[in-house]
């Protein structure tokens, strides 16, 4: 994956809260939830996040814990161009966020509202409660923010055995912004909290978010920056293969078998199997059409 060297990056949609403590972390339901896309459903059930299409009336900054800061001046100074994105992981993430949100703004028009990604380290306070780096990247519907501890990308390689790479990180973010799209469209509201299983609404939410990530990836090399030129210059077959490798390693069955007690319990599935996650990302990537991502209309996930 390569970014256009002279592309201009916008750090305005990133809150850099790294280095600040977020208070006591809330465990998200135990075993294996430190993975890509902590469920909106889990956030409802455990962290007390509110559903619906309206964010909390309090300022997002009210969620900052003691010592936390949303000052992004250092990030803005170091992440200016696509060449910065080619050299630095955090700048690549800034570029990904720019691209993903520009894409969805084009697809949904006035129905899309941009939101920020929060970079944090260790723990963070959110509109859904406190969370730790062990939570993995997640979307909080109460404040409509995406949260990610950048150390998670290392964990994908060291703990999950994923190949990793720049596009893998982009896939993770695109999945989380898929949850934001679901929130804006009201899809999340239709899912009953606390219900798991292979055909559950929570699994359908996650697989749809994977498919949405694939649709963005299909268009990634044509999504423009402010100058009108493509922000992302190249996306290779190897990049896509690495994303599919990651999708396989964050399926419920893989996690329960390889990071749990070695057995699987389909009744506890909340994210879908490895095969399903790969297949729905591929559906989005090949078709490039979010309309093909209706996991709620199919009887065959």
């Amino acid at each position: 994956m390569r970014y256009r060297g002279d592309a201009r990056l916008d750090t305005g949609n990133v809150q850099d809260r790294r280095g600040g403590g977020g208070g006591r972390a809330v465990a998200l339901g135990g075993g294996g939830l430190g993975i890509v896309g902590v469920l909106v459903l889990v956030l409802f059930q455990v962290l007390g996040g509110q559903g619906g299409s309206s964010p909390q009336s309090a300022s997002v900054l009210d969620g900052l814990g003691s010592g936390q800061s949303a000052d992004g001046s250092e990030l803005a100074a170091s992440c200016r161009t696509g060449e910065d994105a080619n050299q630095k992981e955090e700048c690549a993430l800034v570029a990904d966020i720019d691209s993903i949100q520009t894409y969805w703004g084009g697809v949904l028009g006035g129905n899309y509202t941009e939101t920020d990604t929060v970079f944090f380290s260790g723990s963070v306070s959110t509109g859904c409660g406190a969370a730790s780096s062990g939570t993995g990247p997640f979307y909080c519907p109460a404040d409509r923010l995406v949260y990610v501890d950048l150390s998670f990308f290392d964990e994908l390689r060291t703990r999950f055995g994923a190949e990793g790479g720049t596009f893998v990180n982009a896939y993770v973010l695109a999945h989380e912004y898929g949850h934001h799209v679901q929130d804006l469209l009201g899809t999340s509201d239709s899912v009953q909290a606390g219900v798991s299983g292979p055909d559950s609404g929570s699994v359908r939410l996650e697989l749809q978010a994977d498919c949405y990530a694939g649709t963005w990836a299909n268009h990634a090399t044509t999504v423009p920056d402010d100058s009108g030129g493509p922000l992302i210059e190249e996306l290779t077959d190897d990049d896509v293969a690495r994303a599919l490798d990651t999708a396989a390693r964050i399926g419920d069955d893989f996690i329960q078998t390889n990071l749990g007690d070695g057995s699987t319990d389909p009744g506890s599935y909340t994210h879908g199997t490895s095969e399903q996650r790969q297949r729905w990302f591929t559906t989005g990537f090949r078709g490039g059409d979010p309309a093909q991502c209706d996991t709620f209309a199919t009887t065959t996930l």
Side-chain angles (χ1 to χ4, degrees), residues 68-227:
Q68 287 183 300
S69 172
D71 179 18
S73 58
E74 291 185 13
L75 194 67
S78 62
C79 299
R80 297 177 179 274
T81 68
E83 190 54 40
D84 294 328
N86 287 325
Q87 300 297 325
K88 306 171 188 175
E89 180 181 67
E90 62 183 11
C91 299
L93 297 174
V94 169
D96 298 336
I97 293 163
D98 288 351
S99 178
I100 293 164
Q101 298 218 82
T102 299
Y103 166 71
W104 282 111
V107 170
L108 298 180
N111 291 323
Y112 186 74
T113 302
E114 290 194 352
T115 194
D116 291 354
T117 291
V118 176
F119 292 171
F120 73 95
S121 59
S123 59
V124 66
S125 295
T126 81
C128 298
S132 73
S133 56
T135 302
F138 65 96
Y139 173 74
C140 171
D143 57 24
R144 284 188 169 167
L145 294 174
V146 173
Y147 292 86
V148 58
D149 185 327
L150 271 57
S151 67
F152 175 76
F153 300 122
D154 293 327
E155 185 182 12
L156 275 177
R157 294 186 293 270
T158 59
R159 184 182 177 203
F160 292 82
E163 295 177 2
T166 303
F167 181 65
V168 168
N169 302 351
Y171 157 55
V172 170
L173 287 175
H175 175 99
E176 298 310 330
Y177 273 93
H179 286 313
H180 178 54
V181 170
Q182 291 169 330
D183 188 25
L184 293 174
L185 296 180
T187 310
S188 306
D189 296 339
S190 66
V191 174
Q192 184 179 353
V195 178
S196 60
D199 296 317
S200 63
S202 60
V203 166
R204 293 175 188 273
L205 273 179
E206 292 299 322
L207 296 180
Q208 185 177 64
D210 277 336
C211 187
Y212 282 164
T215 66
W216 163 74
N218 173 281
H219 297 278
T221 56
T222 61
V223 176
D225 67 358
D226 289 342
S227 73

Side-chain angles (χ1 to χ4, degrees), residues 24-48:
R24 182 174 62 85
V26 176
L28 291 184
L33 283 178
I35 60 179
V36 177
V38 173
L39 292 178
V40 172
L41 172 63
V42 174
L43 292 169
F44 290 163
Q45 184 179 14
V46 182
L47 293 182

